[in-house]
Amino acid sequence: MVGDRVIAEAWDWAARVTEWGVANWSHPGESDRGVLPRLTEHMRLAYLSILIGLVLALPLGLACARWRPLYPPVLTGVNVLYSVPSIALFFLMLPYTGFSDWTAVVPLALYTLVVLLPNVVDGLRQVPDHVRQAAVAMGFGPLRRLVYVETPVAVPVIIAGLRVASVATISMVSVASLVGLGGLGQLILSDGFRRQFDAPIVVGIVLTVLLAFVTDAVLVLAQRLLTPWTRGDGGGAARPRRRRRAAVPTGADAASASAGTVGPEAADAARARYPVRTGRGPGYTAEEGRSWTS
């Protein structure tokens, strides 16, 4: 059948791609050949760019959060940098950095800064004023308040931007292969498209996606470790269960229960013992209360 033939061809294609990836994973005699060196280069370029972008975004975002008039021109400047195509920035860096890692790291770090800066500013601005006032009342200075109070509260927003920047940077590293860098991008462009061979293309794309997923998972785990107070149901602390108290019978309930389980004499004694308190006088009985409510 046609369906069985398509499935068999798909399995055969996947087996050939997997076989190529395993056979070319690494070459002990040649350290520059193989999938593993490309993956290592890809991780080095991506993580170094993310780290530099974060180091630049934190103090710049802090300055913009403290001095609000500074934020609009700074944001406009970084947005202008983000509008420049990455390929153009790579070629503009060649005369100054040559074929080194900085040719790709500097443009990628600037792109990471563009994504992280608004998150840092928004995270610091969303710290409630009463939290800052409480820290001041406890004797916290500006630096101590920033490190121990404001930054932990802003961590979820900062890491949310860091997750977006990390995934974008990991995918953009492949473009640097046009200038002789790019890690897994060299598998996709040099070994794949130029040779019209689909196995390196598939291996490069799959490893790039897996690297992005793993990085995102590590950042989520880091956020949970850095913000333990957000755990629990709905992101808050788990509420303790309340114990249900046994209902205390009122006079009418006791009288009704007695009337249903014992004789008339015991019921009259229960009514006399548990009078109904309604504020209509000390002699107001259960029979009068029933007649009044009906």
Side-chain angles (χ1 to χ4, degrees):
M1 297 179 61
V2 178
D4 296 337
R5 186 174 67 253
V6 171
I7 294 175
E9 292 178 356
W11 276 108
D12 181 67
W13 176 81
R16 285 188 286 104
V17 171
T18 305
E19 182 180 359
W20 183 91
V22 173
N24 294 273
W25 180 253
S26 64
H27 298 276
E30 303 177 51
S31 59
D32 294 336
R33 289 186 56 195
V35 179
L36 182 59
R38 303 282 79 80
L39 177 61
T40 304
E41 181 184 4
H42 200 106
M43 295 172 62
R44 183 179 69 250
L45 295 176
Y47 293 153
L48 184 59
S49 302
I50 295 169
L51 181 60
I52 294 176
L54 180 62
V55 170
L56 294 176
L58 287 177
L60 191 58
L62 176 62
C64 293
R66 295 298 184 193
W67 298 285
R68 294 179 180 269
L70 182 63
Y71 184 49
V74 170
L75 185 62
T76 302
V78 295
N79 285 334
V80 170
L81 289 175
Y82 194 75
S83 64
V84 179
S86 58
I87 299 177
L89 278 180
F90 292 147
F91 281 101
L92 286 176
M93 292 296 299
L94 278 176
Y96 305 99
T97 58
F99 292 96
S100 63
D101 291 349
W102 295 107
T103 304
V105 168
V106 172
L108 294 176
L110 293 177
Y111 291 143
T112 304
L113 173 64
V114 175
V115 179
L116 284 178
L117 180 62
N119 287 78
V120 174
V121 175
D122 293 340
L124 293 174
R125 285 182 177 178
Q126 76 169 5
V127 179
D129 290 335
H130 67 272
V131 175
R132 292 192 178 96
Q133 294 172 3
V136 173
M138 295 175 63
F140 282 46
L143 181 60
R144 189 180 178 191
R145 186 176 69 243
L146 173 66
V147 175
Y148 291 101
V149 178
E150 297 179 359
T151 302
V153 175
V155 161
V157 180
I158 296 175
I159 291 187
L162 188 60
R163 292 172 62 186
V164 176
S166 299
V167 174
T169 303
I170 290 173
S171 64
M172 291 177 62
V173 169
S174 301
V175 184
S177 61
L178 296 174
V179 293
L181 301 170
L184 295 173
Q186 295 188 14
L187 293 178
I188 299 173
L189 294 179
S190 302
D191 299 339
F193 283 110
R194 292 178 182 176
R195 295 172 52 191
Q196 298 295 319
F197 187 32
D198 55 353
I201 300 174
V202 175
V203 172
I205 293 174
V206 170
L207 289 179
T208 303
V209 173
L210 288 178
L211 184 60
F213 271 110
V214 171
T215 304
D216 186 75
V218 170
L219 290 175
V220 172
L221 180 61
Q223 178 180 344
R224 288 182 58 86
L225 294 176
L226 293 174
T227 57
W229 58 88
T230 60
R231 302 172 191 172
D233 297 336
R239 297 180 178 178
R241 296 183 179 179
R242 295 182 178 178
R243 295 183 178 179
R244 299 181 60 183
R245 294 182 177 180
V248 179
T250 61
D253 295 336
S256 301
S258 301
T261 56
V262 297
E265 295 80 3
D268 293 337
R271 293 190 186 97
R273 185 176 181 182
Y274 301 102
V276 179
R277 305 295 182 183
T278 61
R280 296 180 61 88
Y284 191 74
T285 62
E287 288 81 359
E288 293 175 352
R290 286 194 292 273
S291 64
W292 180 76
T293 55
S294 62

